[in-house]
Amino acid sequence: MADSSTQSITIDAPPDRVVAVICDFARYPEWTEALRRVEVIEEYEDGYASQVRFTIDAQVMTDEYVLAYEYAEDLSRIEWHLVAPSRMQRAQRGSYDVVGNPDGTSTVTYTLEVELSVGMLGMFRRKAEKMIMDTALKQLKHRVEAPGATR
């Protein structure tokens, strides 16, 4: 498996609002630029998604893949992994850790490791991972902090 990359961001909202946006997979295409379609294909008894199909079109890369999700009991950690290799990915593992801060904000730490099916120099892969994570965290922050975003 590839080395993992980690980035964090502070969001001006309590953890429950952040988690509500993260877990609302069907609405991801509204705020995540590269995602064209997201479909929850399996749920746990409590209604949280257990498997989600993503269709991504990032201009230089298109792919369709299914991620399996697991959640900490208090929803402070959301983890996922690639169910089966896709056209572009051999493996993917990731997580969001959401921690409430005393000032009412939340710190979200995003960890991601992706093994691509196509060859890519390590330097370029790390740069791509950083760009993906940076964009994902900024888009999440914007969505959570937008008025009425989690309603």
Side-chain angles (χ1 to χ4, degrees):
M1 190 57 137
D3 294 332
S4 66
S5 298
T6 301
Q7 282 190 29
S8 296
I9 196 166
T10 299
I11 298 178
D12 189 15
D16 62 326
R17 279 201 7 228
V18 175
V19 169
V21 171
I22 292 171
C23 293
D24 190 1
F25 295 103
R27 296 184 74 180
Y28 273 32
E30 294 176 12
W31 58 273
T32 308
E33 294 171 11
L35 287 173
R36 296 297 166 244
R37 186 167 176 235
V38 179
E39 176 189 7
V40 175
I41 53 178
E42 263 182 46
E43 292 181 341
Y44 292 107
E45 288 180 10
D46 61 8
Y48 285 99
S50 62
Q51 289 198 7
V52 181
R53 177 178 291 115
F54 293 87
T55 304
I56 188 169
D57 183 355
Q59 296 175 3
V60 295
M61 181 187 91
T62 59
D63 200 9
E64 185 173 306
Y65 53 93
V66 175
L67 299 179
Y69 284 84
E70 294 180 16
Y71 307 84
E73 194 170 316
D74 64 357
L75 298 176
S76 63
R77 182 175 181 84
I78 300 165
E79 298 178 324
W80 63 88
H81 67 272
L82 191 66
V83 171
S86 68
R87 191 170 62 87
M88 296 297 293
Q89 301 176 71
R90 275 190 219 138
Q92 181 186 144
R93 287 198 162 293
S95 65
Y96 282 114
D97 289 291
V98 183
V99 177
N101 300 316
D103 64 358
T105 64
S106 298
T107 299
V108 179
T109 302
Y110 183 15
T111 302
L112 180 66
E113 64 186 83
V114 177
E115 186 177 342
L116 297 174
S117 299
V118 294
M120 185 181 282
L121 292 174
M123 169 178 78
F124 293 115
R125 183 185 53 77
R126 284 187 296 279
K127 186 173 181 173
E129 280 178 357
K130 182 187 179 325
M131 192 175 75
I132 289 166
M133 294 175 73
D134 189 52
T135 300
L137 286 172
K138 284 179 180 174
Q139 289 176 348
L140 174 63
K141 177 179 175 70
H142 181 66
R143 179 64 173 199
V144 172
E145 292 179 353
T150 58
R151 314 271 181 281

